[in-house]
């Protein structure tokens, strides 16, 4: 155990007060959260397009069934007319309501836009419903289960390190004015810590043994302050919703391939058990883990191809529209939690030193790898096949780069002091953000020339490159979505058509 | 007839405006009450944490007593400072601060002596107690800090527009910072 020390009383000048920093980060977080909500809805769009044949088929059959009781319009004819009109209209002079009306020779009620709305709305609503289910029920006790299956246990008060941890948590909770969160110790040797929980008043702080052994009291206090700040700021809810977005895509994939994939059916049954509250916490944990993993054990080619298309569409939307937007609020909240942690501990030193130490050392918590969203800092990326998996199932870089976090801490008064740093590994990228080093001593014309070159490079190299990548991504997205839609149409037609004819014949 | 309906409309509009005003006033008052309660709660928390430190001291004295027989005078000073501090809880701020500061000074001396004895310093029991003492002092500091933050939030809320118009008439006085001159920050 490191020797207990008094709190350091630092009277250093700060570039920015932590209250100002918090206000700033809170504002950005709000704006980003609104953007992320829009982005998440947009991400449901390609999914809804791919589902179009299924939802339209269901609508046709539903209308047919209702037709047995009371007359309803024949949706299949309408859809056929609209599709014919659309393609004819395209052939003639592009989409317009007039061309559709003239092609069929009489007043056509179902225009393509209407058709799209009719088909897309259920798909998008379905995705939102899955998201809601995921956030509402699936994560109920699953997080606790993950911690338990990872070996989490209450701290042992006879152990000095764990006794100190409980003390530190209770102290910081006092500073934040919240009830002390539950503390769990994970036996893992990797240094990392996370805050879990549904609500601020039933939060859990999980700290690995590795972290307790590697950090001294002040650094542990910094880590705990960050986690408590994040709990007190209400970050848990947001991360929850974010994770549920990914969960909803996993659920949608499994629902769609369930007719021809037994592993998917098994996963869905497990999810259903969890939803009804029949599963224990450990089972819930394994359900979530299974859903969020990349599945390659699917038993036949068709389901594999399907899942691939689906994931491809997801991947491109992620890259194009959503990925960045989803991670932005999370990053803003991270900065906010850092600034609040400085307010709570009244010093940026503990947190700063802890982050410096954890950088590159923090690894995913064994048994809870997908829960990186809840940890204090990003686990080091594992090179190889795992990267792609992360990029698709979970946003790869949820955490802000360490250099930016340290730069923001620097503005709150954190100064890296290698002499006082008990850990030799240092983080020299900090210097890049040191304002005193930004002063350019070159003569005026040279500076202007460099500025001009920079502008030219951005205009003629970076911007076209970004546009090119975006175009390729958009093309990939369109191909994946069209192929997926075609396959679903191909599969839905033999089921819907005979049923439709039979039902209409009966009526 | 038109005059009659005009009066009725005016009455409804005036009533709605009055209701809206009432809602605003109630909301402002509730907000200020919440802030004021937070300050009071923070103040109570400081006392709780002061008492908590009093509870840690006897155990520490008991453990080091065996090793520090020749430091009798210091141990007696710690013990008496502690009982004075216990008695001073709830007394006027000046008396409480004086007693608490005497206790802090005595504990500081005790820490110094313990540091000078390597055998004592590394004893598991002593380490544990020192950790608890540090924690008790940190808790006092953090409780005071939270009090200061709560006072700041309350006073800011009080002085902001539109609360500023109502805070005075509704009887919300500015909250003062802790008068206790305590150790630490």
């Amino acid at each position: 155990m490191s020797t207990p020390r008094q709190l350091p009383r630092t009277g250093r000048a700060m570039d920015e007060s932590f209250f100002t920093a918090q206000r700033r980060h809170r504002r950005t977080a709000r704006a980003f959260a609104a953007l992320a909500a829009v982005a998440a809805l947009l991400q449901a769009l390609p999914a809804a397009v791919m589902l179009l044949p299924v939802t339209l088929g269901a609508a046709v059959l539903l209308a047919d069934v209702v037709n047995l009781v009371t007359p309803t319009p024949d949706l299949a004819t309408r859809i056929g007319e609209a599709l014919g009109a659309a393609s004819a209209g395209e052939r003639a002079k592009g989409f317009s309501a007039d061309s559709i009306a003239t092609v069929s020779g009489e007043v056509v009620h179902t225009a393509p836009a209407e058709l799209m709305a009719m088909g897309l709305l259920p798909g998008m609503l379905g995705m939102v419903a899955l998201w809601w289910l995921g956030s509402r029920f699936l994560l109920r006790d699953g997080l606790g289960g993950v911690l338990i299956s990872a070996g989490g246990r209450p701290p042992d008060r006879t152990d000095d390190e764990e006794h100190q941890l409980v003390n530190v948590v209770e102290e910081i909770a006092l500073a934040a004015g919240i009830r002390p969160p539950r503390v769990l110790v994970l036996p893992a040797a990797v240094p990392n810590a996370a805050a879990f929980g549904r609500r601020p008043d039933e939060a859990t702080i999980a700290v690995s043994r590795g972290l307790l052994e590697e950090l001294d009291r002040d650094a542990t206090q910094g880590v705990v302050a960050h986690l408590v700040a994040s709990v007190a700021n209400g970050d848990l809810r947001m991360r929850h919703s974010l994770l549920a977005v990914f969960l909803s895509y996993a659920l949608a994939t499994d629902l769609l391939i369930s007719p021809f994939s037994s592993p998917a059916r098994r996963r869905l049954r497990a999810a259903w058990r969890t939803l009804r509250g029949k599963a224990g916490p450990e089972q819930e944990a394994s359900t979530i883990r299974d859903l969020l993993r990349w599945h390659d054990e699917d038993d036949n080619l068709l389901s594999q191809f399907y899942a691939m298309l689906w994931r491809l569409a997801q991947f491109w939307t992620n890259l194009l529209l959503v990925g960045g937007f989803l991670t932005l609020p999370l990053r803003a909240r991270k900065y906010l939690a850092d600034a609040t942690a400085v307010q709570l501990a009244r010093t940026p030193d503990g947190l700063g030193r802890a982050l410096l130490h954890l950088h590159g050392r923090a690894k995913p918590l064994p048994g809870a790898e997908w829960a990186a969203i809840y940890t204090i800092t990003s686990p080091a990326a594992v090179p190889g096949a795992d990267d792609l998996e992360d990029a698709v199932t979970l946003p790869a870089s949820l955490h802000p780069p360490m250099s930016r976090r340290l730069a923001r801490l620097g503005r709150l008064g954190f100064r890296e002091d290698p002499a006082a740093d008990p850990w030799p590994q240092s983080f020299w990228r900090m210097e890049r953000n040191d304002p005193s080093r930004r002063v350019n001593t070159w003569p005026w014309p040279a500076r202007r020339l460099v500025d001009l070159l920079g502008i030219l490079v951005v205009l003629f190299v970076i911007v076209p490159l970004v546009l090119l990548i975006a175009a390729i991504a958009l093309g990939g997205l369109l191909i994946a979505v069209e192929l997926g839609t075609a396959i679903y149409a191909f599969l839905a037609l033999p089921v819907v058509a005979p049923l439709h004819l039979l039902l209409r014949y009966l009526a | 007839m038109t005059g009659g309906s005009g009066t009725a409309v005016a009455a409804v509009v005036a009533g709605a405006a009055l209701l809206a005003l009432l809602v605003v006033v109630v909301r402002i008052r509730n907000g200020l009450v919440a802030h004021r309660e937070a300050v009071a709660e923070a103040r109570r928390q400081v006392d709780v944490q002061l008492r908590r430190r009093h509870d840690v001291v006897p155990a520490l004295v008991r453990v080091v007593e065996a090793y520090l027989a020749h430091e009798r005078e210091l141990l007696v000073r710690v013990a008496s400072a502690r009982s004075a501090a216990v008695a001073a809880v709830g007394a006027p701020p000046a008396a409480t601060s004086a007693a608490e500061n005497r206790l802090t000074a005595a504990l500081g001396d005790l820490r110094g002596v313990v540091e000078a004895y390597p055998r004592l310093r590394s004893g598991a029991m002593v380490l544990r107690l020192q950790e608890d003492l540090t924690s008790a002092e940190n808790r006092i500091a953090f409780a005071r800090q939270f009090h200061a933050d709560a006072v700041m939030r309350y006073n800011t809320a009080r002085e902001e527009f539109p609360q500023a118009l109502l805070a005075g008439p509704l009887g919300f006085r500015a909250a003062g910072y802790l008068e206790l001159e305590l150790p630490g920050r």
Side-chain angles (χ1 to χ4, degrees), chain B residues 137-168:
Chain B
E137 282 171 358
N138 282 351
R139 278 168 212 244
I140 295 171
F142 282 132
R144 295 190 61 203
Q145 176 185 309
F146 182 65
H147 179 261
D149 289 351
V151 166
M152 196 201 73
R153 275 194 292 270
Y154 169 65
N155 284 347
T156 311
R158 215 185 128 266
E159 284 156 23
E160 269 171 0
F161 187 82
Q163 295 93 308
L165 299 177
L166 292 166

mmCIF file of all heavy atoms in Angstrom, chain B residues 137-168:
data_model
loop_
_atom_site.group_PDB
_atom_site.id
_atom_site.type_symbol
_atom_site.label_atom_id
_atom_site.label_comp_id
_atom_site.label_asym_id
_atom_site.label_seq_id
_atom_site.Cartn_x
_atom_site.Cartn_y
_atom_site.Cartn_z
ATOM 1 N N GLU B 137 -9.799 13.148 7.569
ATOM 2 C CA GLU B 137 -9.485 14.553 7.296
ATOM 3 C C GLU B 137 -9.904 14.957 5.891
ATOM 4 O O GLU B 137 -10.408 16.054 5.665
ATOM 5 C CB GLU B 137 -8.002 14.809 7.555
ATOM 6 C CG GLU B 137 -7.762 14.931 9.047
ATOM 7 C CD GLU B 137 -6.307 14.962 9.465
ATOM 8 O OE1 GLU B 137 -5.429 14.854 8.591
ATOM 9 O OE2 GLU B 137 -6.059 15.086 10.674
ATOM 10 N N ASN B 138 -9.696 14.029 4.951
ATOM 11 C CA ASN B 138 -10.162 14.303 3.589
ATOM 12 C C ASN B 138 -11.665 14.497 3.561
ATOM 13 O O ASN B 138 -12.192 15.346 2.843
ATOM 14 C CB ASN B 138 -9.798 13.147 2.659
ATOM 15 C CG ASN B 138 -8.347 13.176 2.241
ATOM 16 O OD1 ASN B 138 -7.644 14.143 2.515
ATOM 17 N ND2 ASN B 138 -7.889 12.121 1.612
ATOM 18 N N ARG B 139 -12.365 13.655 4.336
ATOM 19 C CA ARG B 139 -13.825 13.746 4.332
ATOM 20 C C ARG B 139 -14.274 15.113 4.840
ATOM 21 O O ARG B 139 -15.197 15.711 4.294
ATOM 22 C CB ARG B 139 -14.423 12.656 5.206
ATOM 23 C CG ARG B 139 -14.522 11.320 4.514
ATOM 24 C CD ARG B 139 -14.845 10.236 5.505
ATOM 25 N NE ARG B 139 -14.243 8.992 5.097
ATOM 26 C CZ ARG B 139 -14.934 7.904 4.756
ATOM 27 N NH1 ARG B 139 -16.236 7.913 4.822
ATOM 28 N NH2 ARG B 139 -14.310 6.820 4.380
ATOM 29 N N ILE B 140 -13.602 15.595 5.900
ATOM 30 C CA ILE B 140 -13.953 16.927 6.408
ATOM 31 C C ILE B 140 -13.728 17.955 5.317
ATOM 32 O O ILE B 140 -14.581 18.800 5.023
ATOM 33 C CB ILE B 140 -13.117 17.264 7.654
ATOM 34 C CG1 ILE B 140 -13.462 16.312 8.800
ATOM 35 C CG2 ILE B 140 -13.363 18.703 8.088
ATOM 36 C CD1 ILE B 140 -12.553 16.437 9.986
ATOM 37 N N ALA B 141 -12.556 17.842 4.669
ATOM 38 C CA ALA B 141 -12.226 18.811 3.624
ATOM 39 C C ALA B 141 -13.246 18.752 2.498
ATOM 40 O O ALA B 141 -13.724 19.783 2.010
ATOM 41 C CB ALA B 141 -10.828 18.520 3.086
ATOM 42 N N PHE B 142 -13.614 17.534 2.073
ATOM 43 C CA PHE B 142 -14.550 17.396 0.954
ATOM 44 C C PHE B 142 -15.952 17.854 1.339
ATOM 45 O O PHE B 142 -16.668 18.417 0.515
ATOM 46 C CB PHE B 142 -14.576 15.958 0.457
ATOM 47 C CG PHE B 142 -13.408 15.610 -0.410
ATOM 48 C CD1 PHE B 142 -12.672 14.461 -0.195
ATOM 49 C CD2 PHE B 142 -13.042 16.444 -1.453
ATOM 50 C CE1 PHE B 142 -11.594 14.149 -0.998
ATOM 51 C CE2 PHE B 142 -11.967 16.136 -2.268
ATOM 52 C CZ PHE B 142 -11.239 14.990 -2.033
ATOM 53 N N ALA B 143 -16.331 17.585 2.601
ATOM 54 C CA ALA B 143 -17.654 18.029 3.040
ATOM 55 C C ALA B 143 -17.722 19.555 3.043
ATOM 56 O O ALA B 143 -18.712 20.158 2.623
ATOM 57 C CB ALA B 143 -17.970 17.472 4.420
ATOM 58 N N ARG B 144 -16.616 20.192 3.489
ATOM 59 C CA ARG B 144 -16.574 21.653 3.475
ATOM 60 C C ARG B 144 -16.612 22.172 2.053
ATOM 61 O O ARG B 144 -17.284 23.158 1.743
ATOM 62 C CB ARG B 144 -15.275 22.145 4.127
ATOM 63 C CG ARG B 144 -15.163 21.811 5.581
ATOM 64 C CD ARG B 144 -13.994 22.543 6.155
ATOM 65 N NE ARG B 144 -14.174 23.978 6.037
ATOM 66 C CZ ARG B 144 -13.189 24.861 6.048
ATOM 67 N NH1 ARG B 144 -11.941 24.453 6.152
ATOM 68 N NH2 ARG B 144 -13.428 26.137 5.966
ATOM 69 N N GLN B 145 -15.878 21.492 1.187
ATOM 70 C CA GLN B 145 -15.822 21.897 -0.212
ATOM 71 C C GLN B 145 -17.201 21.799 -0.842
ATOM 72 O O GLN B 145 -17.630 22.693 -1.584
ATOM 73 C CB GLN B 145 -14.841 20.970 -0.909
ATOM 74 C CG GLN B 145 -14.715 21.157 -2.385
ATOM 75 C CD GLN B 145 -13.814 20.086 -2.959
ATOM 76 O OE1 GLN B 145 -12.699 19.871 -2.481
ATOM 77 N NE2 GLN B 145 -14.284 19.382 -3.958
ATOM 78 N N PHE B 146 -17.921 20.711 -0.517
ATOM 79 C CA PHE B 146 -19.258 20.567 -1.076
ATOM 80 C C PHE B 146 -20.172 21.672 -0.539
ATOM 81 O O PHE B 146 -21.017 22.198 -1.256
ATOM 82 C CB PHE B 146 -19.838 19.189 -0.747
ATOM 83 C CG PHE B 146 -21.202 18.982 -1.342
ATOM 84 C CD1 PHE B 146 -21.368 18.942 -2.716
ATOM 85 C CD2 PHE B 146 -22.319 18.852 -0.533
ATOM 86 C CE1 PHE B 146 -22.613 18.767 -3.282
ATOM 87 C CE2 PHE B 146 -23.568 18.684 -1.093
ATOM 88 C CZ PHE B 146 -23.713 18.640 -2.469
ATOM 89 N N HIS B 147 -19.959 22.005 0.750
ATOM 90 C CA HIS B 147 -20.737 23.095 1.336
ATOM 91 C C HIS B 147 -20.474 24.394 0.571
ATOM 92 O O HIS B 147 -21.400 25.122 0.210
ATOM 93 C CB HIS B 147 -20.382 23.248 2.814
ATOM 94 C CG HIS B 147 -21.130 24.369 3.487
ATOM 95 N ND1 HIS B 147 -20.569 25.617 3.689
ATOM 96 C CD2 HIS B 147 -22.385 24.446 3.975
ATOM 97 C CE1 HIS B 147 -21.452 26.398 4.274
ATOM 98 N NE2 HIS B 147 -22.566 25.715 4.468
ATOM 99 N N ALA B 148 -19.193 24.648 0.313
ATOM 100 C CA ALA B 148 -18.844 25.876 -0.408
ATOM 101 C C ALA B 148 -19.476 25.876 -1.795
ATOM 102 O O ALA B 148 -20.033 26.893 -2.246
ATOM 103 C CB ALA B 148 -17.327 26.006 -0.510
ATOM 104 N N ASP B 149 -19.421 24.711 -2.486
ATOM 105 C CA ASP B 149 -20.024 24.612 -3.815
ATOM 106 C C ASP B 149 -21.529 24.852 -3.739
ATOM 107 O O ASP B 149 -22.105 25.541 -4.591
ATOM 108 C CB ASP B 149 -19.757 23.231 -4.431
ATOM 109 C CG ASP B 149 -18.305 23.041 -4.832
ATOM 110 O OD1 ASP B 149 -17.560 24.047 -4.783
ATOM 111 O OD2 ASP B 149 -17.912 21.917 -5.169
ATOM 112 N N ALA B 150 -22.153 24.268 -2.685
ATOM 113 C CA ALA B 150 -23.612 24.414 -2.546
ATOM 114 C C ALA B 150 -23.974 25.872 -2.282
ATOM 115 O O ALA B 150 -24.941 26.395 -2.849
ATOM 116 C CB ALA B 150 -24.126 23.518 -1.427
ATOM 117 N N VAL B 151 -23.169 26.539 -1.431
ATOM 118 C CA VAL B 151 -23.420 27.955 -1.144
ATOM 119 C C VAL B 151 -23.295 28.766 -2.423
ATOM 120 O O VAL B 151 -24.135 29.625 -2.722
ATOM 121 C CB VAL B 151 -22.427 28.472 -0.068
ATOM 122 C CG1 VAL B 151 -22.453 29.993 -0.010
ATOM 123 C CG2 VAL B 151 -22.764 27.875 1.284
ATOM 124 N N MET B 152 -22.247 28.431 -3.201
ATOM 125 C CA MET B 152 -22.048 29.182 -4.439
ATOM 126 C C MET B 152 -23.229 28.991 -5.387
ATOM 127 O O MET B 152 -23.731 29.950 -5.970
ATOM 128 C CB MET B 152 -20.755 28.729 -5.113
ATOM 129 C CG MET B 152 -20.269 29.694 -6.159
ATOM 130 S SD MET B 152 -19.161 28.897 -7.299
ATOM 131 C CE MET B 152 -20.309 27.909 -8.224
ATOM 132 N N ARG B 153 -23.679 27.728 -5.505
ATOM 133 C CA ARG B 153 -24.810 27.465 -6.405
ATOM 134 C C ARG B 153 -26.060 28.211 -5.933
ATOM 135 O O ARG B 153 -26.791 28.795 -6.728
ATOM 136 C CB ARG B 153 -25.082 25.959 -6.486
ATOM 137 C CG ARG B 153 -24.224 25.252 -7.516
ATOM 138 C CD ARG B 153 -24.756 23.860 -7.786
ATOM 139 N NE ARG B 153 -24.605 22.990 -6.639
ATOM 140 C CZ ARG B 153 -23.538 22.238 -6.417
ATOM 141 N NH1 ARG B 153 -22.548 22.239 -7.280
ATOM 142 N NH2 ARG B 153 -23.454 21.483 -5.349
ATOM 143 N N TYR B 154 -26.289 28.175 -4.602
ATOM 144 C CA TYR B 154 -27.474 28.832 -4.053
ATOM 145 C C TYR B 154 -27.414 30.333 -4.284
ATOM 146 O O TYR B 154 -28.377 30.942 -4.782
ATOM 147 C CB TYR B 154 -27.588 28.520 -2.563
ATOM 148 C CG TYR B 154 -28.618 29.347 -1.830
ATOM 149 C CD1 TYR B 154 -29.969 29.226 -2.125
ATOM 150 C CD2 TYR B 154 -28.236 30.260 -0.846
ATOM 151 C CE1 TYR B 154 -30.913 29.982 -1.463
ATOM 152 C CE2 TYR B 154 -29.167 31.022 -0.174
ATOM 153 C CZ TYR B 154 -30.503 30.884 -0.486
ATOM 154 O OH TYR B 154 -31.434 31.641 0.166
ATOM 155 N N ASN B 155 -26.263 30.918 -3.961
ATOM 156 C CA ASN B 155 -26.150 32.372 -4.108
ATOM 157 C C ASN B 155 -26.267 32.799 -5.567
ATOM 158 O O ASN B 155 -26.880 33.816 -5.878
ATOM 159 C CB ASN B 155 -24.825 32.871 -3.518
ATOM 160 C CG ASN B 155 -24.884 32.887 -1.997
ATOM 161 O OD1 ASN B 155 -25.958 32.766 -1.409
ATOM 162 N ND2 ASN B 155 -23.732 33.018 -1.357
ATOM 163 N N THR B 156 -25.676 31.991 -6.458
ATOM 164 C CA THR B 156 -25.785 32.309 -7.882
ATOM 165 C C THR B 156 -27.239 32.239 -8.320
ATOM 166 O O THR B 156 -27.749 33.153 -8.985
ATOM 167 C CB THR B 156 -24.965 31.318 -8.722
ATOM 168 O OG1 THR B 156 -23.669 31.213 -8.149
ATOM 169 C CG2 THR B 156 -24.856 31.791 -10.153
ATOM 170 N N ALA B 157 -27.914 31.165 -7.914
ATOM 171 C CA ALA B 157 -29.322 31.004 -8.295
ATOM 172 C C ALA B 157 -30.150 32.173 -7.760
ATOM 173 O O ALA B 157 -31.092 32.630 -8.397
ATOM 174 C CB ALA B 157 -29.861 29.685 -7.750
ATOM 175 N N ARG B 158 -29.777 32.638 -6.580
ATOM 176 C CA ARG B 158 -30.514 33.704 -5.916
ATOM 177 C C ARG B 158 -30.356 35.039 -6.653
ATOM 178 O O ARG B 158 -31.271 35.841 -6.716
ATOM 179 C CB ARG B 158 -29.934 33.846 -4.514
ATOM 180 C CG ARG B 158 -30.936 34.203 -3.441
ATOM 181 C CD ARG B 158 -30.193 34.434 -2.164
ATOM 182 N NE ARG B 158 -30.590 35.710 -1.621
ATOM 183 C CZ ARG B 158 -29.962 36.836 -1.821
ATOM 184 N NH1 ARG B 158 -28.862 36.849 -2.542
ATOM 185 N NH2 ARG B 158 -30.414 37.948 -1.290
ATOM 186 N N GLU B 159 -29.140 35.240 -7.182
ATOM 187 C CA GLU B 159 -28.846 36.547 -7.764
ATOM 188 C C GLU B 159 -29.152 36.628 -9.250
ATOM 189 O O GLU B 159 -29.139 37.704 -9.834
ATOM 190 C CB GLU B 159 -27.370 36.894 -7.529
ATOM 191 C CG GLU B 159 -27.124 37.323 -6.087
ATOM 192 C CD GLU B 159 -25.682 37.114 -5.682
ATOM 193 O OE1 GLU B 159 -24.825 37.074 -6.578
ATOM 194 O OE2 GLU B 159 -25.431 36.982 -4.472
ATOM 195 N N GLU B 160 -29.434 35.473 -9.851
ATOM 196 C CA GLU B 160 -29.718 35.496 -11.275
ATOM 197 C C GLU B 160 -31.115 36.046 -11.521
ATOM 198 O O GLU B 160 -32.012 35.912 -10.690
ATOM 199 C CB GLU B 160 -29.621 34.082 -11.856
ATOM 200 C CG GLU B 160 -28.230 33.748 -12.368
ATOM 201 C CD GLU B 160 -28.113 32.282 -12.730
ATOM 202 O OE1 GLU B 160 -29.100 31.534 -12.577
ATOM 203 O OE2 GLU B 160 -27.030 31.891 -13.151
ATOM 204 N N PHE B 161 -31.261 36.665 -12.708
ATOM 205 C CA PHE B 161 -32.580 37.092 -13.134
ATOM 206 C C PHE B 161 -33.348 35.855 -13.595
ATOM 207 O O PHE B 161 -32.763 34.989 -14.192
ATOM 208 C CB PHE B 161 -32.429 38.093 -14.291
ATOM 209 C CG PHE B 161 -33.720 38.707 -14.694
ATOM 210 C CD1 PHE B 161 -34.240 39.779 -13.982
ATOM 211 C CD2 PHE B 161 -34.422 38.214 -15.779
ATOM 212 C CE1 PHE B 161 -35.445 40.341 -14.352
ATOM 213 C CE2 PHE B 161 -35.624 38.769 -16.145
ATOM 214 C CZ PHE B 161 -36.136 39.836 -15.431
ATOM 215 N N PRO B 162 -34.614 35.644 -13.350
ATOM 216 C CA PRO B 162 -35.549 36.519 -12.638
ATOM 217 C C PRO B 162 -35.645 36.234 -11.136
ATOM 218 O O PRO B 162 -36.394 36.916 -10.448
ATOM 219 C CB PRO B 162 -36.872 36.168 -13.317
ATOM 220 C CG PRO B 162 -36.725 34.725 -13.668
ATOM 221 C CD PRO B 162 -35.274 34.504 -13.943
ATOM 222 N N GLN B 163 -34.875 35.232 -10.662
ATOM 223 C CA GLN B 163 -34.995 34.888 -9.244
ATOM 224 C C GLN B 163 -34.681 36.084 -8.354
ATOM 225 O O GLN B 163 -35.236 36.227 -7.269
ATOM 226 C CB GLN B 163 -34.053 33.737 -8.872
ATOM 227 C CG GLN B 163 -34.368 32.427 -9.539
ATOM 228 C CD GLN B 163 -33.593 32.254 -10.816
ATOM 229 O OE1 GLN B 163 -33.620 33.127 -11.670
ATOM 230 N NE2 GLN B 163 -32.893 31.153 -10.950
ATOM 231 N N ALA B 164 -33.749 36.947 -8.862
ATOM 232 C CA ALA B 164 -33.292 38.066 -8.045
ATOM 233 C C ALA B 164 -34.458 38.957 -7.620
ATOM 234 O O ALA B 164 -34.472 39.528 -6.537
ATOM 235 C CB ALA B 164 -32.259 38.876 -8.819
ATOM 236 N N LEU B 165 -35.481 39.053 -8.496
ATOM 237 C CA LEU B 165 -36.633 39.909 -8.185
ATOM 238 C C LEU B 165 -37.423 39.373 -7.003
ATOM 239 O O LEU B 165 -38.054 40.133 -6.269
ATOM 240 C CB LEU B 165 -37.557 39.992 -9.400
ATOM 241 C CG LEU B 165 -36.963 40.584 -10.667
ATOM 242 C CD1 LEU B 165 -37.975 40.525 -11.804
ATOM 243 C CD2 LEU B 165 -36.520 42.016 -10.417
ATOM 244 N N LEU B 166 -37.401 38.044 -6.848
ATOM 245 C CA LEU B 166 -38.279 37.416 -5.869
ATOM 246 C C LEU B 166 -37.560 36.948 -4.617
ATOM 247 O O LEU B 166 -38.177 36.741 -3.577
ATOM 248 C CB LEU B 166 -38.968 36.211 -6.512
ATOM 249 C CG LEU B 166 -39.967 36.572 -7.608
ATOM 250 C CD1 LEU B 166 -40.329 35.342 -8.404
ATOM 251 C CD2 LEU B 166 -41.203 37.195 -7.001
ATOM 252 N N ALA B 167 -36.240 36.735 -4.734
ATOM 253 C CA ALA B 167 -35.506 36.136 -3.622
ATOM 254 C C ALA B 167 -35.680 36.967 -2.349
ATOM 255 O O ALA B 167 -35.950 36.426 -1.277
ATOM 256 C CB ALA B 167 -34.032 36.003 -3.987
ATOM 257 N N GLY B 168 -35.546 38.298 -2.478
ATOM 258 C CA GLY B 168 -35.683 39.166 -1.316
ATOM 259 C C GLY B 168 -37.076 39.095 -0.699
ATOM 260 O O GLY B 168 -37.227 38.686 0.456
#
